[in-house]
Amino acid sequence: MAKVIIWSSLKSHTGGESNLEIEAGNVKDLLARLGETYPGLQPQLKRGVSVSVDGIIFRDGWLTPLKPDSEVVLLPRMQGG
Amino acid sequence: MSSIKVSTTINGDPTEYVCEADETLLDVLRNRLGLTGAKEGCSTGDCGACSVTIDGRLTCSCLVLGAEMDGAEIGTIEGMASGEKLHPLQKKFIEHAALQCGICTPGFLIAAKSLLDHNPKPTETEVRFALAGNLCRCTGYDKIVRAVMDTAAEMRRA
Amino acid sequence: MPLDNAESSTRKYKVVGTRPNRPDGVDKVTGRARFGADAVAPGQLVGLILRSPHPHAKIKGIDASKALKLAGVKAVVTSADLPDKTDGDAMLYDVLVNVMAREKALYQGHAVAAVAATSASIARQALKLIKVDYEILPHVTDVDEAMKPNAPLLYPKMITDGMDPKPKKPSNVVRRYEFGHGDVEAGFKKAEIIVERSFKTEATHQGYIEPHACLANVGPDGQGELWVCTQGHFMVRDTCARLLGMDFSKLRVTASEIGGGFGGKTTVFIEPIALALSRKANRPVKVVMSREEVFKATGPTSSSSIDVKIGATKDGRIVAGDATLRYQGGAFAGSPVEFGAMTAFAQYDLDNVRAVGFDVVCNRPKQAAYRAPGAPMANFAVESVIEELAHKVGMEPIDFRIKNAAREGTHSSYGPVYGPIGLLPTLQKAREHPHFKAPLGKNQGRGMACGFWFNFGGQSCVSMNIGVDGTVGVTVGSPDIGGSRASMCLMTAEELGIPYDKVRAVVADTGTLGYNDVTDGSRTTFATGMACIMAARDAIKKLCARAAQIWGIPEDAVVWENGHAKPAGSNAGNFPPMSLKEIAAQAPSTGGPIAGHHEFSADGAGVSFATHICDSEVDPETGFTKILRYTVLQDAGKAVHPSYVEGQFQGGAVQGIGWALNEEYIYGKDGRLQNAGFLDYRIPVCSDLPMIDTVILEIPNPGHPYGVRGVGETSIVPPLAAVANSVSAAVGVRMTELPISPPKLLAALEKQSAMKKAAE
Ligand code: FES
Ligand code: FES
């Protein structure tokens, strides 16, 4: 089970929890599961997110495989100038 | 609108054009003569991207009318190199990485050449004030000032 | 996939890290380089845009009949010509509405109609003949005013997202963000010293010297060409094609040389209008913005209002940090407040931290990304409080920062745990730097600040063709905004083992390569550079295979070293090494052209930290601040072309200095921008500044084969606070509002002396 950390203002959609556990093989699956389990997160997922997997930021790369003990941090979709 | 016929010299070449009364010299250079080296950054005399020389004087070409140029000698960036030989300023700007995007570069080169023509041994402060009419948003001016100072030193040695 | 590359720290580079002349240098010093406004097409028309004079107004009708009757006018377009094809994509819909107002004009300068005519003067006359029937609505331009309960609403049905419980009443607040960890309240209970302050910053413009420009040409067969100055021509293609209902592949977009962007050219403004005009007129149409239009209708950054509270123990350890950030992003959702909230405390190692952000709409132009979007303002607020707190604790601000600095293993304020990062080295180097010990005179002060930016990778596609003469053409799809072609050539030459001057990089149009993301987020040298390296490795594989065939040995028995194919060992065969040039020369008769490709989405862009030191002198008579000395210390991972890395540091620092001292959007009570020109919106000029000293640190990024990190954005993050801290040190008054313009500084000095008198 990958550990998923969401940012604080999303907690209202997950019953107050910011540390979640999700079973998923890659980032794409993980985001899909997340949306199924917590439908309140759907609008944000649709608006776009980036993730950090074990400290490395992925703006895209949804096929990145996850290890069973991976720590995934949900981030707003990265932008730059 | 009635057109006005103008005879000038541009970069040493006799040039004739017709323009409308409200066209700036910058419009004429860019749109009628295909000399797009002078850039329009503001059209209000604030950025110096359109710098040219008129009878040897540094001028913003966006602030003068094309119709006023009869009999004038105009110098633009296109006339700075002689044949395949770049002007020392042009060479030093490349070597010092004094340009990032390069939109301000023609204006800076014209202004810097005009400075060195009048003052072959400028101090850093003199360079900074001489170039204060030219805006660059990319470089923070550091490498531009260095390139100009280095050119001046090299031209003195030559 | 991020690479785990230990080679980057030990590798000896031959070409990377040198400072050769850039490939586009001669074109740019001779005036030959072609920028956005420098293109012409046969029979082209001039396109001009009519803009709303009102900050907020209902558009009841547009009558263009008189304009259309004017001889020489070939087309008029309004929002009716841009039907909504966005298919529920809210962000794209906002782009559409920003390109051309629909029911309402949302800010002064919002486009409402456009004409294409045979000359500029006819087009100008035509604009005057278009009659727009406006119903003026109340407006709001200040972020704090916009959040008040009775503020005029831009979107009467908008309910703030991200609030618990959900608000019942509509407001101008789009969304609430919260980041952080630990227990902030508990942390503050442990604090022995707390500093709490409120700050405001004004909107600033990216201020690229080249106004937006494009030349569009669309035929009735649905095929089109677009020449445009942009940071991302693939983005322009996809966005315009979607808005206009064209097939992506039938619109070919060519990126001109670009005269600065800084984030401001990462979206579309005039491009869909030029295409719509061209389609209607069936003629090429050129649209070039005036400087006034650039200020009024393209992306400034957000203005902000920020509260910060930080607590520490007497021994100088921060125990809690809390910030509330309010950013207005103009008339549309999407101010970069989430990045402000994420980066506010990113440079510290904190157990208890919280940052709350509110994204607010106002009757101002839609904000566009500006170098490290959202971070500089948050950094200004936090680093100002840090400096003050250090003084209260009785520590040198630099030691206080070192004590609390984020390091490898720190749980960052925005979530992830840091890998190897370069913050501490920049601080240590700063403390040793001569600047730090230089004496100061009267009315002079020294300030410092640390800053952070994420950086990211994104999609890149690169093609590399080896000529029979042994020279190499690299085709990239990332517009070069500051010398990146030189870096691409350097990395290609390094990998292939050939001289720099045997490689040429060109930026290709959208028909030539697969999708490349916008040149932003400091991604090009990192991601497109990595694609060049990978494409070179692909070419090397083919070169080795070719050598193997020529020698008649297995492919895996050939290795590539120093630009030569060699048998892997003595038992592979005894052949003299064959150079790239020798293999290339035989290509036509040994199987045809040799090329390398790489297409991918790069991740693993390492985060980047910087420390800036600033000395300033204040004239107490006039309130004028002069920057005396400025030093930038930043981690670049690996500097591919050090001159252009320094240039990024210097340019970002100076933009930040402008933001801190002069630059601001000034609105009148009428909601109109009062300083839409370079005379009154004053960016720093040459005589305002000293040399900008730079120190490049190289802490390799494990996610790049050479250890490269993006460097373009971090440099604008610390200057706001570094300058404000130095001015505050010079005058003994904490400056909490930017810009620190002379009138503001004089007012602060007067207030201080009045308070001193009252105390006596
Ligand atoms: S265009 Fe002439 S000074 Fe700016
Ligand atoms: S190099 Fe871009 S404006 Fe000077």
Side-chain angles (χ1 to χ4, degrees):
Chain A
M1 292 268 246
K3 188 172 156 199
V4 184
I5 303 172
I6 59 169
W7 67 85
S8 319
S9 41
L10 296 181
K11 281 194 297 200
S12 56
H13 306 299
T14 60
E17 252 321 306
S18 59
N19 288 298
L20 314 170
E21 302 241 300
I22 301 274
E23 184 79 63
N26 62 25
V27 176
K28 186 169 171 284
D29 289 353
L30 180 129
L31 295 177
R33 294 281 148 72
L34 209 54
E36 283 158 22
T37 322
Y38 307 102
L41 291 178
Q42 289 285 13
Q44 178 63 46
L45 294 174
K46 218 178 128 203
R47 227 174 8 251
V49 289
S50 296
V51 296
S52 127
V53 180
D54 301 321
I56 295 169
I57 294 177
F58 291 78
R59 190 167 74 147
D60 299 294
W62 282 173
L63 300 180
T64 305
L66 298 176
K67 290 189 259 101
D69 59 343
S70 281
E71 184 179 278
V72 180
V73 183
L74 217 56
L75 303 167
R77 183 157 173 87
M78 288 287 152
Q79 269 180 26
Chain B
M1 225 181 261
S2 62
S3 293
I4 300 157
K5 186 161 174 271
V6 180
S7 302
T8 58
T9 307
I10 298 180
N11 300 326
D13 301 326
T15 306
E16 299 201 339
Y17 57 81
V18 285
C19 68
E20 290 176 13
D22 63 351
E23 277 178 66
T24 65
L25 173 58
L26 180 61
D27 293 336
V28 170
L29 289 173
R30 292 181 52 82
N31 303 337
R32 293 196 182 262
L33 303 176
L35 294 172
T36 54
K39 305 297 175 191
E40 180 170 317
C42 68
S43 79
T44 51
D46 300 310
C47 76
C50 63
S51 297
V52 297
T53 54
I54 300 174
D55 297 329
R57 287 190 52 181
L58 179 63
T59 310
C60 292
S61 62
C62 69
L63 292 183
V64 292
L65 294 173
E68 296 175 285
M69 290 298 107
D70 207 55
E73 291 215 12
I74 299 164
T76 72
I77 186 67
E78 287 88 350
M80 197 158 176
S82 44
E84 60 176 355
K85 208 167 152 262
L86 293 181
H87 185 278
L89 275 166
Q90 293 174 308
K91 265 175 56 197
K92 289 288 176 197
F93 263 59
I94 299 176
E95 277 169 34
H96 281 264
L99 49 141
Q100 279 175 34
C101 77
I103 192 89
C104 67
T105 310
F108 269 97
L109 286 167
I110 294 285
K113 179 166 179 297
S114 165
L115 165 70
L116 298 188
D117 285 348
H118 296 107
N119 178 0
K121 209 180 165 184
T123 62
E124 185 192 329
T125 309
E126 283 170 338
V127 171
R128 286 190 179 275
F129 277 93
L131 300 180
N134 292 75
L135 298 180
C136 174
R137 191 58 156 172
C138 298
T139 63
Y141 306 104
D142 184 300
K143 294 186 189 301
I144 294 176
V145 174
R146 283 178 205 277
V148 175
M149 303 280 296
D150 190 20
T151 311
E154 190 185 272
M155 287 175 75
R156 286 197 304 273
R157 280 195 301 272
Chain C
M1 274 301 287
L3 310 157
D4 200 6
N5 226 315
E7 83 180 292
S8 58
S9 52
T10 49
R11 181 165 174 167
K12 287 261 174 294
Y13 295 96
K14 282 214 177 74
V15 195
V16 160
T18 61
R19 301 173 184 243
N21 290 342
R22 61 196 278 166
D24 53 331
V26 170
D27 278 354
K28 285 191 171 157
V29 299
T30 54
R32 283 207 290 266
R34 287 164 82 236
F35 289 85
D38 298 341
V40 280
Q44 82 185 22
L45 303 172
V46 175
L48 285 182
I49 295 168
L50 183 69
R51 298 181 179 278
S52 167
H54 309 296
H56 198 190
K58 200 158 162 193
I59 300 171
K60 297 203 297 191
I62 300 177
D63 178 3
S65 54
K66 282 213 181 99
L68 280 165
K69 283 198 199 105
L70 186 69
V73 170
K74 300 294 173 190
V76 173
V77 303
T78 65
S79 62
D81 297 284
L82 292 166
D84 179 10
K85 297 182 189 288
T86 60
D87 203 15
D89 181 334
M91 280 195 298
L92 189 65
Y93 184 73
D94 281 354
V95 171
L96 175 69
V97 176
N98 190 42
V99 160
M100 188 71 88
R102 300 178 93 78
E103 296 84 35
K104 287 209 290 185
L106 292 162
Y107 55 92
Q108 179 213 15
H110 199 166
V112 292
V115 301
T118 48
S119 80
S121 56
I122 295 172
R124 277 194 293 269
Q125 285 176 53
L127 287 190
K128 290 198 190 113
L129 295 174
I130 299 176
K131 290 287 158 266
V132 185
D133 185 9
Y134 291 108
E135 178 190 324
I136 295 176
L137 301 170
H139 64 269
V140 60
T141 55
D142 177 79
V143 63
D144 291 324
E145 293 298 322
M147 290 179 78
K148 287 188 177 155
N150 294 320
L153 293 182
L154 274 77
Y155 302 98
K157 290 192 201 130
M158 191 165 74
I159 300 286
T160 310
D161 190 25
M163 303 278 276
D164 199 15
K166 215 175 166 66
K168 298 212 167 53
K169 271 187 59 188
S171 75
N172 289 320
V173 182
V174 181
R175 188 167 296 119
R176 177 185 180 277
Y177 289 94
E178 187 182 326
F179 297 90
H181 56 252
D183 182 339
V184 175
E185 279 71 27
F188 279 115
K189 287 212 182 92
K190 279 189 245 156
E192 291 163 303
I193 302 155
I194 293 175
V195 174
E196 190 171 3
R197 289 249 181 212
S198 296
F199 299 86
K200 273 198 123 162
T201 68
E202 228 340 311
T204 56
H205 197 277
Q206 294 82 350
Y208 32 81
I209 305 301
E210 181 197 29
H212 299 259
C214 69
L215 174 57
N217 191 358
V218 188
D221 56 357
Q223 298 201 86
E225 311 282 331
L226 182 70
W227 162 272
V228 58
C229 65
T230 176
Q231 290 176 244
H233 45 310
F234 292 87
M235 169 279 298
V236 169
R237 178 195 66 186
D238 292 10
T239 309
C240 290
R242 285 179 72 189
L243 293 181
L244 291 156
M246 296 172 75
D247 292 338
F248 286 17
S249 300
K250 290 194 186 134
L251 177 59
R252 184 169 71 115
V253 182
T254 306
S256 69
E257 293 295 333
I258 172 174
F262 317 110
K265 293 177 183 165
T266 57
T267 179
V268 297
F269 299 101
I270 53 174
E271 297 83 353
I273 296 179
L275 288 163
L277 284 169
S278 171
R279 181 159 68 180
K280 217 165 168 181
N282 193 16
R283 296 265 292 266
V285 175
K286 182 163 161 182
V287 178
V288 179
M289 273 195 182
S290 68
R291 178 56 53 181
E292 184 180 341
E293 287 180 288
V294 172
F295 274 113
K296 286 184 178 164
T298 69
T301 183
S302 290
S303 64
S304 75
S305 154
I306 302 171
D307 308 324
V308 173
K309 180 177 173 186
I310 306 178
T313 52
K314 278 191 196 138
D315 64 351
R317 181 77 189 128
I318 301 174
V319 287
D322 195 7
T324 303
L325 307 97
R326 297 165 287 267
Y327 287 17
Q328 68 75 25
F332 298 89
S335 83
V337 73
E338 70 270 40
F339 301 116
M342 289 161 82
T343 57
F345 292 102
Q347 59 273 38
Y348 295 109
D349 177 21
L350 305 175
D351 291 336
N352 306 299
V353 57
R354 175 172 61 200
V356 175
F358 293 97
D359 178 15
V360 183
V361 290
C362 271
N363 296 110
R364 293 196 186 205
K366 186 180 197 309
Q367 70 81 34
Y370 182 17
R371 231 172 175 155
M377 316 74 143
N379 185 270
F380 158 62
V382 167
E383 287 294 282
S384 295
V385 170
I386 288 283
E387 190 101 348
E388 198 174 349
L389 187 58
H391 290 307
K392 291 222 161 120
V393 169
M395 278 174 82
E396 277 296 320
I398 193 159
D399 295 327
F400 185 64
R401 287 186 171 91
I402 288 173
K403 182 154 189 168
N404 292 288
R407 52 204 83 200
E408 187 164 358
T410 291
H411 183 187
S412 72
S413 59
Y414 60 92
V417 173
Y418 288 128
I421 55 172
L423 174 59
L424 268 175
T426 69
L427 279 162
Q428 274 142 1
K429 267 266 158 27
R431 192 162 56 177
E432 295 158 16
H433 197 280
H435 182 174
F436 215 75
K437 298 170 203 128
L440 287 167
K442 192 163 176 258
N443 295 323
Q444 298 181 350
R446 178 165 300 142
M448 66 171 298
C450 300
F452 159 87
W453 184 248
F454 306 95
N455 301 326
F456 55 76
Q459 303 173 72
S460 288
C461 176
V462 164
S463 238
M464 192 171 286
N465 295 302
I466 303 195
V468 285
D469 63 348
T471 61
V472 176
V474 185
T475 312
V476 300
S478 300
D480 177 353
I481 56 178
S484 63
R485 269 167 295 192
S487 304
M488 301 306 131
C489 292
L490 282 166
M491 287 185 265
T492 301
E494 183 74 48
E495 201 59 35
L496 292 174
I498 59 175
Y500 168 79
D501 63 4
K502 297 290 174 214
V503 185
R504 177 166 186 205
V506 297
V507 179
D509 63 65
T510 56
T512 307
L513 289 171
Y515 191 90
N516 281 265
D517 270 321
V518 171
T519 293
D520 68 355
S522 303
R523 67 177 270 324
T524 295
T525 304
F526 168 76
T528 304
M530 183 153 39
C532 286
I533 296 170
M534 298 304 180
R537 291 183 182 173
D538 184 38
I540 286 171
K541 220 187 279 157
K542 293 172 190 163
L543 287 160
C544 287
R546 215 46 87 79
Q549 279 175 328
I550 294 168
W551 287 328
I553 62 175
E555 283 178 23
D556 55 10
V558 179
V559 291
W560 191 258
E561 259 178 46
N562 289 329
H564 291 76
K566 274 177 40 180
S570 50
N571 45 4
N574 194 5
F575 305 98
M578 211 183 324
S579 68
L580 180 141
K581 196 172 167 174
E582 288 163 332
I583 303 171
Q586 301 179 55
S589 51
T590 57
I594 302 175
H597 294 278
H598 198 70
E599 49 271 321
F600 74 153
S601 174
D603 286 299
V607 299
S608 154
F609 289 90
T611 295
H612 289 201
I613 317 168
C614 174
D615 291 357
S616 64
E617 179 174 301
V618 175
D619 180 346
E621 300 294 313
T622 61
F624 178 77
T625 302
K626 171 124 190 107
I627 303 296
L628 300 173
R629 187 165 182 180
Y630 202 99
T631 303
V632 177
L633 305 101
Q634 186 178 320
D635 173 18
K638 173 73 199 166
V640 175
H641 191 308
S643 298
Y644 290 101
V645 172
E646 290 161 6
Q648 290 295 325
F649 291 4
Q650 291 163 335
V654 167
Q655 285 183 320
I657 290 170
W659 199 334
L661 292 178
N662 310 312
E663 296 179 31
E664 61 181 317
Y665 264 47
I666 301 172
Y667 279 93
K669 286 216 163 29
D670 57 3
R672 294 185 172 139
L673 184 62
Q674 297 186 330
N675 58 337
F678 277 140
L679 185 61
D680 300 310
Y681 180 96
R682 197 173 173 285
I683 73 171
V685 302
C686 203
S687 54
D688 293 338
L689 296 160
M691 293 295 183
I692 307 292
D693 206 356
T694 55
V695 178
I696 302 174
L697 283 91
E698 296 189 323
I699 292 110
N701 168 22
H704 186 280
Y706 298 168
V708 169
R709 295 174 196 267
V711 295
E713 301 188 273
T714 309
S715 55
I716 204 174
V717 181
L720 282 58
V723 172
N725 285 337
S726 81
V727 173
S728 302
V731 298
V733 187
R734 174 94 350 229
M735 299 306 297
T736 56
E737 279 185 29
L738 297 187
I740 309 174
S741 54
K744 244 183 238 161
L745 189 50
L746 279 185
L749 290 175
E750 268 160 34
K751 200 170 145 203
Q752 182 198 35
S753 66
M755 271 161 61
K756 264 194 197 148
K757 274 210 189 98
E760 283 161 13

